[in-house]
Amino acid sequence: MRLALALGASAFLLGLSQLPVRASSCAEQIGTIERRLDSAGAVHVAGLQDGHTIRSSKSPKALAQAPSGAPSDAHMISTAAHISDARRLIGRAGDEDRAGQQRACEDTMTEAKGMIGALP
């Protein structure tokens, strides 16, 4: 009886070890924000940075064209300096995510999103 129980438990654990590794929510956020920073709107604000290309795949949530008016919150206006700072923050968030510092990564991503503001 014990042998059957031990074999069953071993088979269960062996099956779990073969499950695919899921990306952390922070890694998903990093990917999303990286795509935003490689968008035409970010290039419009900051210019095309070395090593970056405009992504051709468009988000299903993307607007057909940039809104004509200014954002209602003046702090949400994107600048080239803010986008540059956000890129540095995303690099730091990636390091934190790889180190398993989930909370620090999420805090850094919140800061990066605030730096980006509303892209056209």
Side-chain angles (χ1 to χ4, degrees):
M1 179 73 166
R2 286 184 180 171
L3 180 62
L5 186 58
L7 288 174
S10 297
F12 176 75
L13 292 175
L14 182 61
L16 284 180
S17 67
Q18 296 179 8
L19 291 175
V21 176
R22 244 186 94 205
S24 72
S25 65
C26 199
E28 292 170 1
Q29 287 182 51
I30 291 169
T32 300
I33 298 303
E34 285 176 334
R35 285 188 299 276
R36 267 186 81 195
L37 291 177
D38 289 340
S39 70
V43 171
H44 174 75
V45 170
L48 189 59
Q49 305 297 312
D50 290 338
H52 290 94
T53 58
I54 298 175
R55 301 223 181 192
S56 59
S57 60
K58 194 172 185 181
S59 167
K61 295 181 180 181
L63 298 174
Q65 61 185 19
S68 58
S72 58
D73 183 356
H75 297 325
M76 295 302 290
I77 296 174
S78 295
T79 65
H82 286 160
I83 289 175
S84 177
D85 290 343
R87 287 188 194 281
R88 280 193 294 279
L89 287 170
I90 289 170
R92 186 173 87 193
D95 293 341
E96 292 166 345
D97 187 52
R98 285 186 290 280
Q101 300 170 341
Q102 187 71 20
R103 185 64 170 161
C105 180
E106 291 171 357
D107 291 344
T108 302
M109 286 306 298
T110 299
E111 189 178 349
K113 290 174 193 176
M115 294 300 294
I116 295 168
L119 292 171

